[in-house]
Amino acid sequence: MPTLEHPSECGGSGELSAPRLRVDTPEKAGLDPTELRHLVREAHDLTTGDHPWAPGVVVVAGRGPVIAVQEAAGFAVRYASYDPITDTGVELSRAARVPATVDTPFDLASLTKLCTSVAAVQQIERGTLGMDARVGDYLPEFRAAARHGITVRQLLTHTSGLRPELPLYDCRDDAQRLALLRVEPPTGEPGTYLYSDLNMLLLQFVVERVTGRTLDVLVHEGITRPLGMTATGFGPCPGAAATEYQRRPWAKADRGMLRGVVHDENAWALGGVAGHAGLFSTGRDLAVFCRTLLAGGSYGPARILGPDLVELLLTAPGLGFAVDQPWFMGELAGSGAAGHTGFTGTSLVLDPMTETFLVILANTVHPVRRPADSGPRANLATRLARAVRGT
């Protein structure tokens, strides 16, 4: 029976010692093969034409311990630059393009938030961090957060009232960036949902303070290493799919064509390791992450969280995870499915009710960012939901 290999693309090395997810037929996974064939065809269709949804797409889907779909389509690198006058990408020659494969790492963008959340909940499980403790108890120098009584739970549930982001990329140095964050007060009503990258940045600073270790070390030691996710880590990641040709005014910095360095400008300004963005990974590695959570926090002999804490992560309103969001989960939403999306075109959905999971990695921002369109992500998730119902 074929099993997953974990090539060391970036962020670590070593072989997975735990029993691995196996690749098998849809029937062995308890999924309808016709619906999965539709899923694969639609994934390929997303990469075709002069203006594809994404130049490259990787889809990994399965149920229980079985991966029934692992498919790559299109190109990890298709464009050399972007022409704003014609609003088109400047295409590489056919020989210079890089095809996407199932081993291609992608910039995860906001899927990074899921690992930041798990790292924080691990500290809650160990008793070094309080769920309802105030951020000011750990970071008294963050005066605005302390004054307004922002809690760890509010950071995890995006109910702190902090605005979506700050222009940290325009600051002259780290000292100025930290100064901005320390005095930033809530702009929304505390307790009301307002999605914000700042929540995960503050959470990063909290877990780093209580552990004395940086976030990249915490993610490696607490998540990716024990699970054998050897292709997952913060950049640089030279073999990754390309993202954007960044130039002002459409981007927030002048960085040229990006490949293997974080796309998010604030994460880049913070050195590439940030609570809200910065991780690179492959579809296979993220399938292991999904399977671990669906199995209550364990994968083979490794355990990264206890089942009660995993349930807390995935149960509405979710801790870092979004729950039952049809705009990207399609018909998987409605029975407690949890997941997240990333600005670069990524998404992850896992459904504890049916033990199904779907990972979509794409570079929709290559060669330039476009208005968000999560319809394709929702459509692929619907195909998986129907594959469950069709068996």
Side-chain angles (χ1 to χ4, degrees):
M1 196 69 67
T3 56
L4 289 184
E5 298 298 328
H6 289 265
S8 181
E9 297 281 355
C10 58
S13 61
E15 291 297 319
L16 183 66
S17 60
R20 301 170 180 174
L21 281 167
R22 72 180 193 273
V23 179
D24 214 320
T25 63
E27 291 85 354
K28 291 290 187 180
L31 296 170
D32 178 30
T34 300
E35 289 293 345
L36 293 189
R37 282 195 293 271
H38 288 315
L39 187 158
V40 168
R41 187 197 70 241
E42 290 172 11
H44 279 271
D45 289 345
L46 293 174
T47 68
T48 60
D50 293 334
H51 299 282
W53 180 72
V57 171
V58 171
V59 178
V60 180
R63 188 177 191 184
V66 177
I67 288 179
V69 171
Q70 51 173 352
E71 190 77 13
F75 296 97
V77 185
R78 176 172 171 174
Y79 302 97
S81 62
Y82 167 70
D83 183 350
I85 296 175
T86 60
D87 189 28
T88 56
V90 178
E91 301 224 30
L92 293 165
S93 68
R94 281 279 176 178
R97 297 179 193 179
V98 180
T101 75
V102 293
D103 295 322
T104 300
F106 282 73
D107 182 331
L108 298 187
S110 284
L111 293 192
T112 302
K113 293 179 172 74
L114 302 182
C115 285
T116 303
S117 299
V118 169
V121 173
Q122 286 175 331
Q123 298 309 312
I124 291 169
E125 182 178 45
R126 292 166 190 168
T128 57
L129 183 63
M131 175 77 78
D132 293 304
R134 297 188 176 194
V135 170
D137 294 340
Y138 306 103
L139 303 171
E141 70 274 24
F142 282 69
R143 297 186 299 277
R147 184 169 65 252
H148 290 272
I150 292 175
T151 67
V152 171
R153 186 187 297 271
Q154 288 175 336
L155 298 181
L156 282 162
T157 56
H158 293 284
T159 56
S160 69
L162 291 169
R163 73 179 75 186
E165 66 172 4
L166 284 170
L168 304 178
Y169 46 83
D170 279 338
C171 294
R172 63 180 177 270
D173 53 30
D174 286 344
Q176 188 179 29
R177 284 184 273 273
L178 277 173
L180 270 182
L181 288 166
R182 286 170 178 171
V183 300
E184 177 65 22
T187 58
E189 183 67 26
T192 302
Y193 181 84
L194 177 62
Y195 181 81
S196 172
D197 288 349
L198 303 185
N199 288 316
M200 292 296 152
L201 281 176
L202 261 65
L203 192 62
Q204 172 189 359
F205 295 137
V206 168
V207 296
E208 288 182 342
R209 179 65 55 84
V210 301
T211 63
R213 291 178 289 172
T214 56
L215 181 63
D216 54 336
V217 172
L218 291 169
V219 169
H220 176 65
E221 293 184 352
I223 302 172
T224 62
R225 184 172 66 185
L227 297 181
M229 295 170 60
T230 59
T232 304
F234 289 93
C237 186
T243 54
E244 188 173 27
Y245 183 71
Q246 285 194 350
R247 287 283 183 263
R248 297 176 192 264
W250 62 84
K252 302 166 187 173
D254 294 304
R255 303 170 61 200
M257 181 59 75
L258 304 181
R259 186 184 185 197
V261 292
V262 64
H263 172 267
D264 181 271
E265 292 94 340
N266 274 343
W268 164 70
L270 291 165
V273 177
H276 70 289
L279 277 175
F280 292 79
S281 189
T282 64
R284 291 171 166 183
D285 264 21
L286 291 180
V288 172
F289 183 70
C290 290
R291 178 59 193 158
T292 300
L293 295 175
L294 288 170
S298 296
Y299 189 74
R303 184 182 77 84
I304 63 168
L305 274 178
D308 53 339
L309 273 301
V310 172
E311 184 177 1
L312 196 60
L313 273 172
L314 305 182
T315 303
L319 301 180
F321 288 76
V323 179
D324 284 336
Q325 298 295 313
W327 61 273
F328 76 94
M329 298 179 182
E331 293 178 12
L332 279 177
S335 60
H340 213 288
T341 63
F343 186 79
T344 50
T346 59
S347 67
L348 177 156
V349 185
L350 51 94
D351 181 16
M353 180 72 70
T354 61
E355 286 196 276
T356 53
F357 57 88
L358 173 67
V359 175
I360 302 171
L361 299 180
N363 52 351
T364 58
V365 297
H366 182 52
V368 71
R369 64 191 71 190
R370 302 283 185 182
D373 177 13
S374 282
R377 291 186 273 208
N379 292 340
L380 295 181
T382 291
R383 286 295 183 189
L384 182 58
R386 293 177 180 177
V388 175
R389 294 198 296 268
T391 56

